Amino acid sequence: MLEGGLIGCGFFAINQLHGWREVEGAGISAICDKDERRLAEVGDAFGIQARYTDAAQMLAAESLDFVDIATTVSSHRSLVELAASERVHVICQKPLAESLDDARAMVRAVERTGKVFMVHENFRWQSAIRTVINVVREGTIGTPFFCRASFRSGYDVYSGQPYLAEDERFIIQDLGIHVLDIARALMGDVARLSATTQRINQRIKGEDVATILLSHDSGATSIVDCSYASRRKVETFPETLLEIDGELGSLRLDAGYQLSIQSAEKEQRLNVEPPLLDWAERPWHNIQESVVAIQQDFASCVAGGRQPETSGEDNLGTLALVEAAYISAREGRTVILSEL
Ligand code: NAD
Ligand code: 89V
């Protein structure tokens, strides 16, 4: 059994702690949060007695195989480097870092230890998205040449995560990063990108709408569009809707987890709604189920001595798209990814 230490016991860490209880071969035996009140609440709720307000002290005192970093982005680099210096496996929440330079340094630091380094980039582990990825990778619709990945919502994310209203960078860095990662998982790496951003809600500091055009290395095109300012009768939070055309067919993942696949041979309609786990609640159940899937993959990678699909190294490609989108929107130009 792999023993883990969770750093950061905030809003999302609750899902991670529930998730670890379901993972085979790994669990959390110690927790850390610099906020003592939060540490006590979460320790009591999950029956974890080993509690620390300092991650270095936790790593020194406990015999851990891995750390799960669930703090917000500004602390990710120092915590990942601390974990590397203590030679433990690492899973770290997205966004991995505030800059590409930081992220590259973090990847190099863990690489030198030979340990597993996963980014908790869970959207591509959502079961509906995973089904679509498998259909595309199996060649059912032939080589894809167009993808639209769309996340449009009016859901109040600020009440659970107040820091999202305070950052100069909002929707691309927090949410767009997931949708850009889905586009990469489906369509491959990106050669160039252009983006526009808007701020509709004037009470927040960053952008809450982004529209991004991607030209992939393969020649395919994707549109990634995100909004937290969309007032819609059917509120789809937190679903990513997909539309993909391939040389042999097409598929759509529509609202309510309805997947339709058209290929030369057949037309299929599938309900790919994720199960509601006993600790989960709608509409978050989609994200909550993906937490179990990604954490199980982490445990399997450690046991099997392999790097995960959403490794630190892989995530540099997604983080580069985030950086490129901000540059493009600010400077009003197309950004060539190889120049970053
Ligand atoms: P939060 O602010 O609610 O929680 C962060 C916690 O970390 C706080 O309790 C804080 O006291 C603690 N902390 C900060 N720095 C620390 C340090 N150096 N040592 C110990 N504790 C420290 O934030 P959140 O909403 O839970 O978000 C955490 C991360 O999870 C963010 O990176 C966010 O983007 C990500 N997130 C991911 C998803 C997803 O679906 N993958 C969803 C929500 C949030
Ligand atoms: O996934 C996230 O990081 C969350 C949310 C889905 C609400 O955007 O912040």
Side-chain angles (χ1 to χ4, degrees):
M1 183 82 169
L2 298 167
E3 303 255 335
L6 177 83
I7 309 172
C9 299
F11 170 79
F12 201 72
I14 300 305
N15 296 316
Q16 294 173 218
L17 284 166
H18 279 296
W20 286 118
R21 283 180 165 175
E22 304 215 9
V23 168
E24 274 177 40
I28 296 296
S29 54
I31 56 172
C32 169
D33 199 298
K34 59 184 186 186
D35 176 340
E36 284 187 23
R37 201 164 55 93
R38 188 69 190 163
L39 189 64
E41 275 169 16
V42 172
D44 290 351
F46 286 86
I48 300 170
Q49 301 311 326
R51 303 173 189 179
Y52 298 85
T53 51
D54 181 86
Q57 280 173 11
M58 178 176 78
L59 277 154
E62 302 286 327
S63 178
L64 298 173
D65 300 297
F66 72 94
V67 288
D68 181 5
I69 300 171
T71 59
T72 43
V73 66
S74 60
S75 53
H76 287 177
R77 179 171 176 175
S78 61
L79 291 171
V80 167
E81 288 178 343
L82 171 69
S85 72
E86 294 292 331
R87 306 187 78 77
V88 293
H89 303 284
V90 185
I91 174 168
C92 179
Q93 262 296 349
K94 49 58 66 178
L96 180 58
E98 289 178 302
S99 74
L100 262 178
D101 284 348
D102 280 353
R104 287 176 182 137
M106 293 154 77
V107 169
R108 282 196 302 273
V110 186
E111 215 168 56
R112 283 195 286 270
T113 68
K115 298 290 178 180
V116 168
F117 186 14
M118 177 186 254
V119 178
H120 191 125
E121 182 36 84
N122 53 325
F123 271 39
R124 69 161 93 169
W125 289 98
Q126 291 170 7
S127 52
I129 303 293
R130 207 68 218 166
T131 304
V132 171
I133 289 173
N134 291 337
V135 167
V136 170
R137 290 185 184 169
E138 283 158 9
T140 311
I141 62 166
T143 305
F145 61 86
F146 173 81
C147 169
R148 179 180 177 200
S150 181
F151 185 111
R152 309 193 79 78
S153 171
Y155 186 84
D156 171 22
V157 277
Y158 315 107
S159 57
Q161 297 162 269
Y163 59 89
L164 295 178
E166 297 304 322
D167 208 322
E168 298 291 336
R169 290 182 165 195
F170 168 36
I171 201 168
I172 300 175
Q173 177 168 278
D174 182 69
L175 183 275
I177 194 168
H178 292 304
V179 189
L180 289 165
D181 188 70
I182 291 172
R184 279 187 65 237
L186 286 165
M187 309 294 282
D189 271 318
V190 173
R192 55 186 196 281
L193 166 162
S194 58
T196 62
T197 56
Q198 294 157 270
R199 181 170 62 219
I200 304 302
N201 179 349
Q202 298 301 318
R203 290 188 299 277
I204 66 168
K205 288 213 179 99
E207 81 292 351
D208 54 359
V209 176
T211 311
I212 308 171
L213 179 68
L214 309 172
S215 301
H216 294 270
D217 292 345
S218 64
T221 300
S222 296
I223 297 168
V224 166
D225 60 287
C226 307
S227 164
Y228 270 128
S230 300
R231 311 277 155 223
R232 301 178 137 195
K233 211 160 193 175
V234 180
E235 172 53 72
T236 50
F237 179 88
E239 294 176 53
T240 304
L241 308 184
L242 295 169
E243 197 171 343
I244 305 173
D245 289 342
E247 287 168 353
L248 302 177
S250 66
L251 68 77
R252 291 174 67 109
L253 178 61
D254 286 319
Y257 305 98
Q258 299 305 304
L259 176 61
S260 46
I261 309 167
Q262 287 172 45
S263 63
E265 294 92 50
K266 57 180 178 187
E267 193 173 331
Q268 276 178 284
R269 284 176 197 279
L270 305 169
N271 180 347
V272 289
E273 173 153 16
L276 184 66
L277 300 173
D278 57 13
W279 50 271
E281 57 181 344
R282 294 175 193 279
W284 285 86
H285 64 305
N286 173 30
I287 289 180
Q288 287 163 322
E289 192 222 9
S290 71
V291 166
V292 179
I294 193 170
Q295 291 177 180
Q296 183 61 68
D297 188 63
F298 176 79
S300 306
C301 286
V302 173
R306 60 189 162 82
Q307 290 295 333
E309 187 178 310
T310 54
S311 66
E313 175 71 37
D314 176 80
N315 197 257
L316 294 177
T318 298
L319 214 55
L321 299 184
V322 169
E323 202 50 50
Y326 281 114
I327 295 171
S328 172
R330 191 174 63 236
E331 299 179 6
R333 65 177 176 93
T334 297
V335 175
I336 312 295
L337 269 299
S338 60
E339 291 174 359
L340 291 184

